[in-house]
Amino acid sequence: TVRLAATNEVATYSNGSLANLRIINAKRSPQAVVYVKLKFGINVPYQKVKTFGDVIENFVKDRPREWLKLAAFRATVVQADLGYIEYVAVLQHMESWQNIGDVLQSQANVASFCLEVSKKMEMRFTAPPMPVDLSITNNINDKIDDIPLSAARAHERVPSDILGVGIDEQKLEKIRSLFATPEPVSKSKKKK
């Protein structure tokens, strides 16, 4: 029998459906371990990173009823080409995972604290702007020649965002004809 804590719903599972699963008792599990991921620019000196780790450790020590310890603070990903190093702070909470609300709130507090400290220490990583590829405008006229003009394929519309600079009037007319509404057949033409 399982009880969903948020809604207090009760469900029963057969033993066969549970055979391949890992089952834990959240109340009896050890203190929760949470991770806070951080990105610092590759140009941040290592001494600043060590100081940052010490600040987090002091934050944890100042809250003994909330945190057991800062288990680790280490680099996990080095992306020299992208200009950042990703670090992770591993913290052990006093509560078990059964009290997930308290654990997640504490994790959010640490993440916010880390953000503020990184701002004050000028360590925040700001991603460089991504380049914009405008190559579609170079060969748009070649693509327009491939547009079918038959009425049977009129439902295959050309996206309006490809219309831009560099399209001559004849090709523009081809595109407009795809979006033209068919003329209604008059009653006099139907009788013939």
Side-chain angles (χ1 to χ4, degrees), residues 117-190:
V117 171
S118 66
K119 282 181 190 176
K120 287 181 182 173
M121 294 179 73
E122 297 176 357
M123 297 174 65
R124 277 193 69 224
F125 170 70
T126 305
M130 298 298 290
V132 177
D133 183 16
L134 300 175
S135 62
I136 192 168
T137 58
N138 295 339
N139 54 4
I140 193 167
N141 287 326
D142 298 334
K143 294 181 189 285
I144 291 174
D145 288 334
D146 299 334
I147 296 173
L149 294 178
S150 66
R153 298 187 69 184
H155 66 280
E156 296 178 12
R157 304 290 190 215
V158 177
S160 60
D161 58 305
I162 68 167
L163 301 177
V165 179
I167 301 175
D168 61 42
E169 281 298 317
Q170 184 182 9
K171 292 178 181 179
L172 193 56
E173 267 317 301
K174 281 184 173 182
I175 293 174
R176 285 187 183 132
S177 69
L178 289 174
F179 294 99
T181 55
E183 295 179 22
V185 179
S186 65
K187 292 182 181 180
S188 61
K189 287 185 180 179
K190 283 185 181 178

Side-chain angles (χ1 to χ4, degrees), residues 43-114:
N43 57 347
V44 174
Y46 183 67
Q47 190 59 39
K48 253 188 180 182
V49 175
K50 285 181 72 172
T51 304
F52 185 87
D54 293 340
V55 170
I56 294 174
E57 191 168 13
N58 289 336
F59 179 83
V60 169
K61 285 180 179 176
D62 289 344
R63 291 156 181 79
R65 292 185 177 155
E66 188 175 2
W67 295 105
L68 190 60
K69 64 180 177 179
L70 173 66
F73 179 71
R74 60 178 171 262
T76 55
V77 177
V78 177
Q79 289 286 347
D81 295 339
L82 298 176
Y84 72 86
I85 300 175
E86 186 175 291
Y87 287 82
V88 66
V90 183
L91 301 109
Q92 192 168 17
H93 202 276
M94 290 297 288
E95 297 289 335
S96 66
W97 279 111
Q98 186 174 17
N99 300 333
I100 193 166
D102 294 339
V103 173
L104 293 180
Q105 182 60 51
S106 296
Q107 182 184 22
N109 293 341
V110 169
S112 298
F113 177 77
C114 289

Side-chain angles (χ1 to χ4, degrees), residues 18-34:
L18 299 175
N20 295 331
L21 300 176
R22 180 177 172 215
I23 301 170
I24 65 163
N25 183 342
K27 179 63 178 168
R28 295 184 59 120
S29 65
Q31 286 82 15
V33 175
V34 296

